[in-house]
């Protein structure tokens, strides 16, 4: 199933089920995406029944919003594609090597934005705004010390995420948090595709375009730490909660590693695509 959060004419956000190019309103059964994630199997069956009887709205008549407003920071993997790890190490004059352990940082909840929201550009904050297309997963149930062999059972679903980064702020300190957390710097969506619809998340084309020009193109099979290993690592001694978002890292091709570097400018159209999940389209907008 595909679950979206949406609004019509600026009215309060609703949850809907996406079927082909239409949306089925789930307001009667699911007040929030967190409620959908918390549903039991019986609850999911109820949604399917409800969908059969409900009227449909063309997707073109709604505004899709960030599918899920997380309760705590978005967890992100850095340097999780070898080609990206190497391009960043070269650009930073660091030794070229693969990480031995997952590199984990977070983005503030307030950075999270929707699939068509603008990416704010304020040159007084940053002149080095960069793009990072990623496959994000959403945790479906609470777990701690999850073995890799059971980890996929803890995945509720997937969405596209762009880990938009202010490189100058990222490099000011030893921690990435500030440079990763400016408002509107975490476009997500366009919906959450449930795990059953994407049985093999490690063979998906992943691409990022700026003004229609392909900047990143890879496949999720190139992740260094795959989803089960990432969940096992994160949950080791640290409880994962339903609704946690984990971004699995970006492939090579980011602006900071180009010669010369190419950063986002106002008016740029950023398109982020993951095969089988969907597409985000965000315009960089001066504020
Ligand atoms: Mg990233």
């Amino acid at each position: 199933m595909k679950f979206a959060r949406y609004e019509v004419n600026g009215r309060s956000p609703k949850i809907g089920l996406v079927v082909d190019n239409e949306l089925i309103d789930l307001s009667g059964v699911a007040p929030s995406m967190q409620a959908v994630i918390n549903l039991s199997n019986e609850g999911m069956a109820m949604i399917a029944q409800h969908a059969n009887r409900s009227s449909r709205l063309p997707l073109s008549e709604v505004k899709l919003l960030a599918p899920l407003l997380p309760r705590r920071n978005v967890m992100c993997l850095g340097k999780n594609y070898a080609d990206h790890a190497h391009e960043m190490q070269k650009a930073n004059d660091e030794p070229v090597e693969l990480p031995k352990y997952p590199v984990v940082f977070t983005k503030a909840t307030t950075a999270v934005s929707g699939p068509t929201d603008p990416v704010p550009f304020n040159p007084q904050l940053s002149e080095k705004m960069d793009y990072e297309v990623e496959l994000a997963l959403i945790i479906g149930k609470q777990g701690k010390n999850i073995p890799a062999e059971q980890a996929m059972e803890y995945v509720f679903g997937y969405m596209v995420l762009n880990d938009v980064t202010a490189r100058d702020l990222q490099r000011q300190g030893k921690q990435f948090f500030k440079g990763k957390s400016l408002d509107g710097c975490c476009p997500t969506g366009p919906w959450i595709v449930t795990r059953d619809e994407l049985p093999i998340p490690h063979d998906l084309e992943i691409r990022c375009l700026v003004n229609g020009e392909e900047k990143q193109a890879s496949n999720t099979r190139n992740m260094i730490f795959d989803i089960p290993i990432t969940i096992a690592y994160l949950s080791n001694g640290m409880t994962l909660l339903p609704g946690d978002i984990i971004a699995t890292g970006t492939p090579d091709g980011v602006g900071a590693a180009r010669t010369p570097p190419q950063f986002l400018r106002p008016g740029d159209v950023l398109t982020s695509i993951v095969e089988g999940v969907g597409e985000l389209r965000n315009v960089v907008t001066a504020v």
Side-chain angles (χ1 to χ4, degrees):
M1 290 195 264
K2 290 188 178 79
F3 292 102
R5 200 167 143 266
Y6 71 100
E7 66 180 24
V8 182
N9 300 326
R11 289 198 290 268
S12 355
K14 291 180 174 184
I15 302 300
L17 185 66
V18 179
V19 180
D20 301 322
N21 286 317
E22 294 177 317
L23 199 77
I24 298 160
D25 178 17
L26 296 178
S27 308
V29 276
S32 67
M33 193 61 80
Q34 191 67 47
V36 173
I37 293 167
N38 292 342
L39 281 173
S40 59
N41 289 343
E42 294 74 35
M44 278 292 175
M46 235 177 62
I47 286 206
Q49 272 183 0
H50 173 86
N52 283 332
R53 306 184 249 105
S54 304
S55 59
R56 299 179 174 203
L57 206 62
L59 264 180
S60 56
E61 289 181 13
V62 310
K63 179 181 195 267
L64 293 176
L65 306 171
L68 173 67
L69 300 178
R71 292 184 290 183
R72 59 176 179 174
N73 287 3
V74 177
M75 292 172 237
C76 305
L77 291 193
K79 302 191 173 84
N80 199 34
Y81 286 72
D83 290 341
H84 173 62
H86 291 161
E87 71 173 357
M88 291 307 273
Q89 287 157 346
K90 281 182 201 152
N92 296 338
D93 271 329
E94 293 163 4
V96 173
E97 57 192 5
L98 291 182
K100 291 184 187 67
Y101 300 96
V103 176
V104 185
F105 63 90
T106 70
K107 289 173 89 75
T109 56
T110 40
V112 172
S113 59
T116 60
D117 286 340
V119 173
F121 180 94
N122 178 351
Q124 291 180 333
L125 275 172
S126 172
E127 297 228 53
K128 295 188 174 174
M129 299 289 285
D130 204 351
Y131 49 83
E132 296 190 358
V133 65
E134 311 202 5
L135 171 68
L137 62 94
I138 294 95
I139 293 292
K141 59 177 180 179
Q142 181 170 325
K144 184 176 176 181
N145 303 329
I146 303 166
E149 307 77 59
Q150 290 164 26
M152 295 308 286
E153 295 165 27
Y154 289 78
V155 175
F156 173 76
Y158 305 94
M159 62 185 177
V160 185
L161 182 150
N162 201 305
D163 175 18
V164 176
T165 303
R167 296 288 179 209
D168 32 13
L169 295 181
Q170 182 186 11
R171 285 172 186 158
Q172 274 174 3
K174 295 251 182 210
Q175 301 282 332
F176 292 179
F177 181 60
K178 173 78 181 184
K180 293 286 190 177
S181 294
L182 296 181
D183 290 359
C185 285
C186 190
T188 55
W191 36 62
I192 296 174
V193 177
T194 51
R195 169 172 47 111
D196 56 309
E197 290 222 0
L198 219 57
I200 307 171
H202 296 107
D203 189 16
L204 306 173
E205 297 292 327
I206 179 164
R207 297 164 67 216
C208 184
L209 291 75
V210 177
N211 301 326
E213 191 182 319
E214 191 169 86
K215 299 291 187 184
Q216 296 185 278
S218 186
N219 189 292
T220 55
R221 77 169 78 93
N222 296 322
M223 285 180 199
I224 298 170
F225 301 104
D226 66 12
I227 292 170
I229 289 174
T230 298
I231 290 176
Y233 178 82
L234 281 171
S235 72
N236 187 18
M238 185 184 97
T239 303
L240 292 179
L241 299 171
D244 278 348
I245 300 174
I246 301 173
T248 57
T250 201
D252 61 315
V254 301
R258 292 176 173 270
T259 318
Q262 292 170 14
F263 296 108
L264 295 167
R265 306 300 304 169
D268 282 350
V269 179
L270 185 59
T271 310
S272 315
I273 307 166
V274 179
E275 179 187 3
V277 183
E279 181 173 325
L280 316 176
R281 185 183 183 280
N282 303 92
V283 179
V284 181
T285 305
V287 293

